[in-house]
Amino acid sequence: MADCFGVATISDIALVDKVASSILGELLSRLSKSAPFEFVSLIAPALLLGNTKIAAHTGAMTPPSGMGVIHEFQLFSRPTPHGFTVVSDITIKHRRNSVGVVFDFEVGVEGSVASMQTRLRFVTIEEMVAFKGIKFPLKYSTDHTIWHKSQKIKQADVADYLELARDHNPIHVDYAAARALGLEGVVLPGMLLCGLAESILTTHFCSVWISQMKCRFMAAVPVGQTVNFGIVPRKHDERGFLNLARIFAVTEDNVIAAIMDVTCAPNVS
């Protein structure tokens, strides 16, 4: 199958829904056992995927019949913390082939307000079964690594997130559907893992906000588990504020579910 491309621009979309974003912040803080959000969450624009105007242009995310989909990569980027009053145009670009699809969402001119990229890979049931990840090697943890465990994330918690995101993917709620696609059971949404990682980092480094997150998903996390997040600081700026960090999301079975590389900026002038 040759690559196929699509571009659409939707005008006058509110970047952040104030009520939904407030509920999202409270949910992430509770599940991560972290401090309340000082800013709108980095992942708040992901809630736009459920917007009917935008959903009309994301049909290419649906895998071919008989195949499943793996969320391989997620990018969030913003030059400043999200504001409640931002109304802008959103340009949606996608390229799809038999292997998968990449979606780029640019808010403002060429992403000047915010940008998001979602990469999905189409897989057979056999490939989904093999999507197990690797055990977390002890060498990845340093003397400076900060570990923080979430609370047990239950089906009701996932339902709360899915309602906010208007995400109808059955692998998060329907055991039979998840099993039919090669999973052992229902699994956590990848976007939720990203939000939890942000909540935990900004609790331990309360003087910064995340301007960019690049997340590679490596294994599914079953609903009903805790997730252990390991923050590895990698660089501080000249004033001592955290600038770069890597975050590992690790399952109860000590499997790496995701690796997030983040860029931070100080929340003081």
Side-chain angles (χ1 to χ4, degrees), residues 6-10 57 90-94 104:
V7 179
T9 299
I10 306 169
H57 299 279
I90 296 181
T91 299
I92 304 171
K93 304 176 182 178
H94 82 266
D104 287 290

Side-chain angles (χ1 to χ4, degrees), residues 11-16 83-89 107-108 113:
S11 301
D12 300 326
I13 294 288
L15 175 61
V16 174
F84 286 126
T85 59
V86 174
V87 176
S88 184
D89 293 348
V107 184
V113 176

Side-chain angles (χ1 to χ4, degrees), residues 28-35 145-153 188 193 196-197 199-201 203-204 221 224-231 247-254:
L28 295 174
S29 296
R30 176 172 61 82
L31 295 180
S32 62
K33 298 188 290 188
S34 298
T145 303
I146 300 169
W147 287 100
H148 185 125
K149 186 176 290 187
S150 76
Q151 73 173 40
K152 195 175 292 291
I153 303 172
L188 300 185
L193 282 180
L196 294 173
S199 179
I200 289 168
L201 181 136
T203 291
H204 290 279
V221 180
Q225 284 198 6
T226 59
V227 183
N228 204 11
F229 291 86
I231 304 171
I247 306 172
F248 294 96
V250 181
T251 71
E252 290 181 354
D253 295 325
N254 201 37

Side-chain angles (χ1 to χ4, degrees), residues 1-8 57 60 92-97 100-104:
M1 174 183 175
D3 287 2
C4 59
F5 301 87
V7 179
H57 299 279
I92 304 171
K93 304 176 182 178
H94 82 266
R95 56 189 185 277
R96 172 178 168 137
N97 55 31
V101 63
V102 178
F103 267 85
D104 287 290

